[in-house]
Amino acid sequence: MKTWILVLLLVGTFCVSSTLAKIESEIALVEDEEAEILLEEEDGDGAPEAQNLVEPDAANDEDDDEEEEEEEAAAGETEEEEEDERPIPRGDPCNDMYCGAGRECIINEEGEGECLCQAVCEEEIDPRRKVCSNLNETWVSDCELYRQRCLCEDEEPACTKEAYAHMHIDYYGECQEFRDCQESELEDFPRRMKEWLFSIMRDMADRKSLSEHYLALEQEAEEDSNKQWTNAVVWKWCDLDSYPRDRSVSRHELFPIRAPLMSMEHCIGTFLDSCDPNDDHYVSLKEWAACTKLSVNDTTKLEDLCEGIRDN
């Protein structure tokens, strides 16, 4: 009995050993096959497949990047085309416009600048802003005076008096009563005026407030006493002929001389009136030379002393 049990154990052990050996043999066979496959891949047959697993994604990314770049470029071109089609903005047409006192630049329906009478002046409550006109009327401000003059010049319905078309400021402050200018005082006034003008010209030259052209005239006057009064008188006339430079000085352009002297020189108004004998509200250089009693008769030469007058 024991013998048979021993035999069965031996047979069973053999069978198990055979089975295990067979299994191990199959496993070894599979491992050999896998090793061969790996060797083939390392030789190059399998590398492309491995690369192909990665490269399609990279290629797709590159394609996407190229498409995005193309789309951005196309969008940029479209924006440039749109910008080219947009109208070029024009500057303010009033920037280069000069409107005289009492006028303001308004852009009309055609988009052009146009000088029109001021619509309204700011309310003025300071009595020091009052001005006296050449018609001996007090106005609350220079703006109101110039605005009314403009309305009358343009013959607007708001003009209150036809004479206001030639109105200008005589001096600042309320109108006052000045004593009459005596004939003897008026006779001597041109000499005093010439001396005063040369004194101003010299002072401005010392302060370097004159242009190179007029500095040369002042220096010439310093060296030649015969030209002191002539150069000073012509310089002031050229200086007063501001805008437009039309070779004449309007009554309004005489304001820088009249206004500051009215309180000190009661003859200034009468003297300046004598410089416009034909009463056309403009003082030519010939008339200016006559009322200041210059000895020079050739007004053409006098005009040549004006800086830039021949450019107009």
Side-chain angles (χ1 to χ4, degrees):
M1 184 67 177
K2 292 182 181 179
T3 303
W4 282 106
I5 292 173
L6 181 60
V7 170
L8 289 173
L9 289 173
L10 292 172
V11 172
T13 301
F14 176 78
C15 290
V16 171
S17 299
S18 299
T19 301
L20 291 174
K22 186 176 182 180
I23 291 172
E24 290 176 356
S25 176
E26 291 178 355
I27 290 173
L29 181 60
V30 171
E31 290 177 351
D32 292 339
E33 291 177 354
E34 289 179 353
E36 290 178 358
I37 292 173
L38 291 174
L39 289 173
E40 291 177 356
E41 290 178 353
E42 290 177 359
D43 292 338
D45 294 337
E49 294 180 1
Q51 292 176 356
N52 289 338
L53 294 176
V54 178
E55 288 180 356
D57 292 338
N60 290 336
D61 291 341
E62 291 178 359
D63 292 341
D64 293 340
D65 292 341
E66 290 178 359
E67 290 178 359
E68 289 179 1
E69 290 177 359
E70 291 177 357
E71 290 176 358
E72 290 177 358
E77 291 177 358
T78 303
E79 290 178 359
E80 290 178 358
E81 291 176 358
E82 291 177 354
E83 290 178 357
D84 293 339
E85 293 175 357
R86 293 171 190 162
I88 299 175
R90 294 176 57 189
D92 189 341
C94 287
N95 287 341
D96 298 327
M97 290 286 293
Y98 174 85
C99 297
R103 299 178 182 271
E104 59 183 344
C105 183
I106 302 295
I107 301 177
N108 57 27
E109 295 180 354
E110 288 74 25
E112 299 175 347
E114 183 178 3
C115 289
L116 301 176
C117 296
Q118 284 187 240
V120 65
C121 292
E122 293 184 7
E123 183 179 0
E124 189 57 68
I125 60 175
D126 188 347
R128 293 173 297 179
R129 298 292 297 174
K130 292 181 179 181
V131 295
C132 182
S133 74
N134 58 309
L135 301 177
N136 201 37
E137 294 178 347
T138 299
W139 293 77
V140 294
S141 68
D142 56 349
C143 178
E144 290 288 356
L145 184 150
Y146 289 133
R147 176 177 176 274
Q148 183 60 215
R149 185 182 70 178
C150 177
L151 293 171
C152 295
E153 285 177 339
D154 294 354
E155 299 181 351
E156 296 287 344
C159 172
T160 57
K161 188 185 294 186
E162 185 177 347
Y164 288 162
H166 301 290
M167 180 170 55
H168 57 263
I169 296 176
D170 239 9
Y171 53 91
Y172 288 112
E174 294 189 34
C175 294
Q176 305 175 35
E177 290 295 332
F178 294 99
R179 62 186 179 90
D180 293 335
C181 179
Q182 301 299 317
E183 185 176 349
S184 58
E185 293 176 313
L186 185 60
E187 181 70 21
D188 187 51
F189 198 86
R191 177 191 62 79
R192 295 171 56 217
M193 172 64 77
K194 288 182 287 190
E195 290 179 350
W196 178 67
L197 291 178
F198 179 68
S199 176
I200 294 176
M201 188 180 191
R202 172 184 283 171
D203 181 64
M204 293 184 67
D206 291 340
R207 292 186 285 109
K208 307 299 182 183
S209 299
L210 295 177
S211 67
E212 291 295 329
H213 177 80
Y214 292 125
L215 279 173
L217 286 184
E218 194 278 333
Q219 186 61 39
E220 182 182 56
E222 293 284 3
E223 298 171 356
D224 186 351
S225 59
N226 294 325
K227 295 183 178 181
Q228 283 187 359
W229 290 354
T230 299
N231 288 9
V233 168
V234 174
W235 158 71
K236 178 47 64 176
W237 182 86
C238 299
D239 182 56
L240 293 172
D241 183 21
S242 54
Y243 184 91
R245 287 191 175 276
D246 51 6
R247 304 183 189 182
S248 62
V249 176
S250 67
R251 288 294 189 96
H252 168 65
E253 290 174 326
L254 288 172
F255 172 73
I257 286 184
R258 181 189 297 265
L261 292 179
M262 280 298 296
S263 61
M264 299 179 292
E265 295 285 353
H266 64 282
C267 284
I268 184 66
T270 306
F271 167 74
L272 293 178
D273 288 342
S274 70
C275 295
D276 184 22
N278 59 0
D279 198 29
D280 66 349
H281 303 281
Y282 289 93
V283 179
S284 67
L285 181 55
K286 185 176 181 179
E287 291 173 331
W288 182 247
C291 72
T292 54
K293 296 184 178 181
L294 289 183
S295 59
V296 179
N297 296 321
D298 190 350
T299 57
T300 301
K301 292 181 179 180
L302 293 181
E303 283 188 356
D304 288 339
L305 297 179
C306 285
E307 181 179 24
I309 193 172
R310 294 301 182 188
D311 296 335
N312 298 293

